[in-house]
Amino acid sequence: MNVTTQLSERSGEHDDLPADLGIYLHVPFCIKRCHFCAFYLVLHEEQRVKQFLQAIEQELALYANQPGMRERTVATVYVGGGTPTVLRPEQLALIFFSIRSKFSLSEQCEITVEATPESLTDRYVDFLQQAGVTRLSIGIQSFDQQERTMLGLSGTSAEAKAKVQNAKQAGFSNINLDLIYGTPNQTVQSWERTLTYALELDPSHLSCYALSIEKGTRFYNEFRRGLFEVMDPDHEVSFQEQAEVQLESLQWSRYELSNWAKPGFACQHNLRYWRGLEYLGLGPSAQSFISECRFGNVSSLEHYSKFLMAGQLPIASKEVLSRFQQEKERIVFGLRLLEGVPIDWIYRASQDECWMTSYEGLVKEDYLLPTERCVQLTRKGRQFADTVGMRLL
């Protein structure tokens, strides 16, 4: 696809681009694949890393040269994966330098880097501080050693705790811990202990995800062979309620279905997704939403690099959304936020009779609660949020 037509075929559209932008950068390397992980990744090899660094530099340059892009202010940068911290500090430093040299970051730019506990050496934590990273997201998943082994995680729970403590002592005040519930044979009591250990480390944010069985994972293959039993959804509710009991007692806010934060520590980058704001995705498999257009990169490091070395953006799929599609998606993603969505959004979508029938049905079935100012998921709706989203889309 020609570089000059990536964002839109419509002339003059870039004049209307809003000033604010988020950047997501996918680093596709890991030492190994955990049993539950379905994200695009390749095993870490220095030659592959060199190939990736050359390609990401070119992708950043191509986007920076798009009309209007250099004038935009970047409000958030999120470096995910994979495991970004399997890169050497000097390699990750090259990426940060390239972003800053080609885009204008706001003074309050939130810069998040994902990491595994075992990758966070003292030297690496110091480097991240010096590089201007403002937020760490650490993949803990569980503090129960049996569960960690079953999930395919490296290291012990004691080592994981120590690495979080080291990051705190180095000066990081904005730390998220990823946790998983609903694993086979997990009990509410072991989940309570994991939450207790996590809170003792005094993070600012917790992401509590229900285990999902995704194609391409070891868990999926075991499930297909009858070797893996998925937890009953009704039982999963007990885990969500346990999190509510422990976190609400400490004045934490469940601002999104899977995310809890201390006051003032909600993830600004992820809020972009849920509020329908624009973001640019870089790296293999990364997704973007810019100028009414949703597009995604190829999920192959080799093809990603080949496109870019030929001077082309590595876009595999592209969809220009109609105004009504955008309104529907903004409602569906916005409902993941516990604050809900403004009632005005519903009025604007009500012109479509079929959509309105779905919406009214969800209200009658106690999945949605409308008020004078907003619409929110009910407790039942939060339990079946994916079903609500599918019906509204």
Side-chain angles (χ1 to χ4, degrees):
M1 196 178 289
N2 188 282
V3 172
T4 59
T5 62
Q6 296 305 316
L7 299 182
S8 175
E9 280 78 23
R10 288 169 288 177
S11 62
E13 182 175 354
H14 301 291
D15 295 337
D16 300 323
L17 286 174
D20 191 76
L21 182 70
I23 289 179
Y24 172 77
L25 194 147
H26 187 77
V27 178
F29 303 108
C30 274
I31 300 301
K32 66 173 186 175
R33 182 184 288 278
C34 297
H35 300 168
F36 57 90
C37 179
F39 292 115
Y40 173 71
L41 63 85
V42 294
L43 296 183
H44 179 269
E45 291 179 5
E46 277 301 316
Q47 188 56 40
R48 286 172 166 171
V49 171
K50 181 179 178 182
Q51 179 185 25
F52 169 73
L53 292 174
Q54 291 174 338
I56 203 74
E57 170 76 18
Q58 177 72 346
E59 188 177 19
L60 279 161
L62 289 175
Y63 276 115
N65 289 328
Q66 293 282 348
M69 290 295 281
R70 280 189 184 270
E71 290 72 41
R72 305 190 68 175
T73 300
V74 175
T76 64
V77 175
Y78 194 107
V79 184
T83 307
T85 46
V86 300
L87 299 181
R88 297 196 307 275
E90 56 269 27
Q91 292 170 333
L92 193 53
L94 288 173
I95 293 175
F96 285 135
F97 176 79
S98 187
I99 292 173
R100 287 191 168 100
S101 66
K102 295 175 175 61
F103 289 88
S104 175
L105 275 59
S106 70
E107 288 186 14
Q108 302 301 319
C109 185
E110 177 193 79
I111 303 176
T112 301
V113 171
E114 290 184 345
T116 56
E118 59 271 19
S119 68
L120 286 178
T121 63
D122 290 347
R123 175 174 175 255
Y124 218 121
V125 170
D126 289 342
F127 155 71
L128 293 172
Q129 277 275 337
Q130 295 165 12
V133 174
T134 64
R135 184 174 183 273
L136 275 182
S137 183
I138 306 175
I140 299 293
Q141 317 312 346
S142 176
F143 284 111
D144 181 283
Q145 194 55 47
Q146 258 191 324
E147 292 170 10
R148 290 182 61 82
T149 301
M150 188 273 296
L151 290 166
L153 301 170
S154 300
T156 67
S157 57
E159 290 166 344
K161 290 179 196 175
K163 293 304 180 71
V164 178
Q165 290 168 334
N166 290 348
K168 292 279 293 184
Q169 291 167 3
F172 276 102
S173 59
N174 194 352
I175 296 177
N176 169 63
L177 304 182
D178 278 350
L179 304 174
I180 287 180
Y181 64 87
T183 58
N185 303 317
Q186 186 183 31
T187 65
V188 175
Q189 289 71 33
S190 71
W191 174 237
E192 178 184 3
R193 288 193 295 272
T194 280
L195 288 168
T196 298
Y197 292 143
L199 290 168
E200 286 174 351
L201 295 169
D202 192 31
S204 56
H205 191 286
L206 290 178
S207 295
C208 301
Y209 298 110
L211 178 68
S212 59
I213 309 304
E214 306 286 348
K215 268 189 174 182
T217 65
R218 175 169 169 172
F219 280 169
Y220 178 82
N221 295 333
E222 291 179 352
F223 174 73
R224 290 289 300 270
R225 292 162 56 199
L227 303 175
F228 189 104
E229 187 174 343
V230 179
M231 185 173 288
D232 186 279
D234 290 335
H235 189 37
E236 279 188 8
V237 176
S238 302
F239 291 81
Q240 296 172 15
E241 291 174 344
Q242 182 61 44
E244 288 177 356
V245 167
Q246 289 183 251
L247 293 166
E248 287 181 357
S249 67
L250 298 174
Q251 309 305 310
W252 283 56
S253 169
R254 186 186 184 187
Y255 70 97
E256 192 271 343
L257 289 177
S258 302
N259 288 276
W260 297 78
K262 289 180 179 180
F265 285 95
C267 178
Q268 296 305 303
H269 183 82
N270 287 342
L271 282 171
R272 301 193 70 86
Y273 302 144
W274 301 318
R275 289 176 173 165
L277 301 176
E278 296 192 346
Y279 53 91
L280 174 64
L282 306 166
S285 81
Q287 304 296 306
S288 302
F289 174 61
I290 293 180
S291 190
E292 303 178 0
C293 184
R294 182 172 47 232
F295 50 100
N297 284 351
V298 292
S299 297
S300 160
L301 177 59
E302 181 182 357
H303 291 124
Y304 167 80
S305 300
K306 282 183 178 178
F307 270 110
L308 287 162
M309 293 305 101
Q312 293 183 307
L313 289 172
I315 294 174
S317 61
K318 175 183 173 185
E319 180 183 11
V320 178
L321 303 179
S322 69
R323 182 65 62 185
F324 184 55
Q325 283 176 301
Q326 291 180 68
E327 289 174 351
K328 284 195 299 182
E329 290 196 3
R330 190 162 62 152
I331 290 170
V332 169
F333 290 122
L335 282 171
R336 292 191 60 88
L337 296 171
L338 273 290
E339 67 190 28
V341 299
I343 195 72
D344 290 350
W345 293 10
I346 305 298
Y347 293 150
R348 285 203 290 271
S350 65
Q351 58 189 299
D352 185 285
E353 187 176 336
C354 182
W355 186 90
M356 202 61 188
T357 299
S358 295
Y359 166 75
E360 290 172 349
L362 290 165
V363 172
K364 289 176 183 176
E365 295 166 42
D366 192 36
Y367 289 103
L368 294 175
L369 175 66
T371 68
E372 289 184 3
R373 303 181 66 179
C374 67
V375 176
Q376 299 167 307
L377 290 171
T378 62
R379 179 174 287 271
K380 177 183 174 182
R382 293 199 294 270
Q383 184 181 351
F384 297 101
D386 289 344
T387 300
V388 173
M390 288 178 66
R391 286 176 61 175
L392 288 176
L393 285 175

